[in-house]
Amino acid sequence: MGGRGATRGSVPDWKTVHPEALALLRGYLRIDSSNPPGQEAPAARYLGALLEAEGITPRYIETAPGREILYARLPGDGSKRALMLANHTDVVPVEPAYWTVPAFEGLEVGGRIYGRGAVDMKGIAIMQLIAFLLVKRLNLPLRRDLVFCAVPDEEALGKQGMAWLCDHHPELLEDVEYELNEGGSGTSEFQGTERPVFFVATSEKQVCWLRLTAIGIPGHGSIPHPIEHNSAVRLARALQRLAEWERPITFTPETEAWVDRLSAEGLMPPRDQPEEIARLVGGSAPLQAMFTNTLNVTMIASGIKANVIPARSSAVVDCRLLPGQSREDWRQQVIARVDDPAVEVTFHEELDADEPVSAPWDTELYRVIEAVISEAVEGAVVAPSMTVGGTDNRFLRARGIPAYGFAPCILSQQERAGFHANDEFLTVENLNMGCELTYEIVRRMCA
Ligand SMILES: [Zn+2]
């Protein structure tokens, strides 16, 4: 076993692997793969070069100019179908003025590795890459193929990333039995408990952007005008009604399992106390996102001139629906709530017809994750969960692949706050834990 990331016998020598992982992540964070513009090929090449240096021959699949999917496979004996480790190479853009550290220098300060993508999701990509490299270095005999796949464009709906792979290279996914990606992790601050709680995402909410358009009668800004005819006022009233709309909590099979698992540990009220659950949910924005369809007004347009009463005003509302709910039903509910024939409610953008599906959690991969976490972290609770944002997992679940969002580390409130925000960081401690436990999950699944 040679030089970097040496191994001792058949177990990884974590003392040398940890600093290697740190160096790899710092190097990866130095590549600006902001999307837009989404020129992520150098990120794919960076990871690919690390594989090539160890005798692995990856494929680089161009999805658009400057955009590539990296796809590599370690062969197993074929007795089981493949496990795929997948991640995205793009990151959301930064507003450097609001960062107190450089966003693309891979700085490590006081045990924190700073940079855009540290938690979303270059840090997880390095955990997966290290696990993949170790399997190769240790020459582990595999029962199933192990796939490493890094895709562009996740942050802009995935049309030139995972969706493209599914459409253009279904053969590369054909024998994939399970997939691991982003969307869940551990937390040490769940509802005030000190017990570490790990969420394995098996489903996610669906995006539903609605456009509200109010039509009025224009007029001169100098003369009193009937309020009913002012489209801006009609629109504002509609938005106010939506903002003040209280919606009951709704259980899905995932959130039922989630509550059952946590209430068994005394961390949530049981399901036969719905008022208690509703009270908790009401006081927590993350829980509201898990138990209700949510909406936020994100764009407003009205008026053409300071002295012209606008004939037309419109707004976009970003709605996120629970799994299993229909977008059209939701649009009808919004129309009923707005209750104004002068305000039209339409879909803002044509989205995939595919409704996100939920993955089962009664699976070998789920049980392996649960066992690895329970053995590694004292008092840990593992529960199936739902991602409230969108991830690439939805494309794979739609193909019938149990795709889980899970990083085996314990993100603090501060690390979590870094998603799409300023001063994003991952601790060295979490990187190390993530590398060790991702490797262990992979080993038990494959070897
Ligand atoms: Zn992400």
Side-chain angles (χ1 to χ4, degrees), residues 88 120 154-155 182:
H88 62 83
D120 185 12
E154 190 274 341
E155 298 291 1
E182 66 178 343

Side-chain angles (χ1 to χ4, degrees), residues 166-423:
C166 289
D167 289 345
H168 292 83
H169 284 285
E171 79 283 359
L172 296 179
L173 302 167
E174 206 168 41
D175 74 330
V176 172
E177 186 170 14
Y178 298 108
E179 186 248 18
L180 257 188
N181 203 314
E182 66 178 343
S185 72
T187 170
S188 55
E189 293 141 337
F190 178 75
Q191 296 292 309
T193 178
E194 299 206 332
R195 286 185 71 180
V197 182
F198 290 80
F199 297 120
V200 181
T202 61
S203 71
E204 64 189 46
K205 290 179 89 176
Q206 52 177 322
V207 176
C208 177
W209 292 328
L210 294 179
R211 174 177 291 278
L212 270 60
T213 307
I215 305 293
I217 298 172
H220 200 292
S222 63
I223 303 161
H225 197 77
I227 285 176
E228 291 305 299
H229 293 170
N230 188 320
S231 68
V233 175
R234 294 291 279 262
L235 179 68
R237 196 161 60 194
L239 297 178
Q240 186 72 26
R241 281 186 64 75
L242 291 180
E244 290 172 350
W245 187 9
E246 283 184 21
R247 299 175 298 286
I249 65 170
T250 304
F251 279 95
T252 64
E254 291 73 29
T255 47
E256 283 178 355
W258 187 88
V259 168
D260 289 348
R261 182 72 194 90
L262 294 170
S263 63
E265 303 288 340
L267 299 175
M268 279 291 285
R271 265 196 286 148
D272 59 13
Q273 294 176 19
E275 309 80 23
E276 270 302 291
I277 293 177
R279 194 184 55 76
L280 269 182
V281 170
S284 154
L287 290 186
Q288 280 174 41
M290 265 187 85
F291 284 90
T292 61
N293 296 337
T294 60
L295 56 85
N296 282 297
V297 180
T298 50
M299 297 166 77
I300 295 184
S302 180
I304 50 167
K305 199 165 182 294
N307 61 357
V308 177
I309 293 163
R312 184 177 185 280
S313 300
S314 69
V316 176
V317 183
D318 181 354
C319 309
R320 304 297 175 111
L321 310 187
L322 292 166
Q325 302 224 347
S326 112
R327 291 194 179 101
E328 178 54 24
D329 284 356
W330 174 248
R331 190 177 74 90
Q332 293 301 334
Q333 289 179 48
V334 169
I335 290 169
R337 171 68 188 176
V338 167
D339 193 24
D340 184 345
V343 178
E344 191 185 40
V345 180
T346 54
F347 293 110
H348 170 55
E349 190 171 296
E350 219 39 68
L351 292 160
D352 297 343
D354 276 343
E355 301 285 306
V357 290
S358 299
W361 54 91
D362 178 21
T363 65
E364 182 183 359
L365 178 57
Y366 189 90
R367 284 188 290 274
V368 164
I369 290 172
E370 194 168 42
V372 167
I373 295 298
S374 304
E375 288 166 32
V377 184
E378 204 188 327
V381 180
V382 181
S385 184
M386 182 175 72
T387 313
V388 298
T391 73
D392 277 339
N393 284 318
R394 68 185 182 279
F395 303 114
L396 299 160
R397 290 176 190 142
R399 299 183 64 83
I401 299 170
Y404 294 164
F406 188 66
C409 52
I410 302 177
L411 297 182
S412 64
Q413 197 68 47
Q414 266 185 307
E415 275 166 306
R416 240 168 250 288
F419 279 86
H420 296 204
N422 308 318
D423 290 352

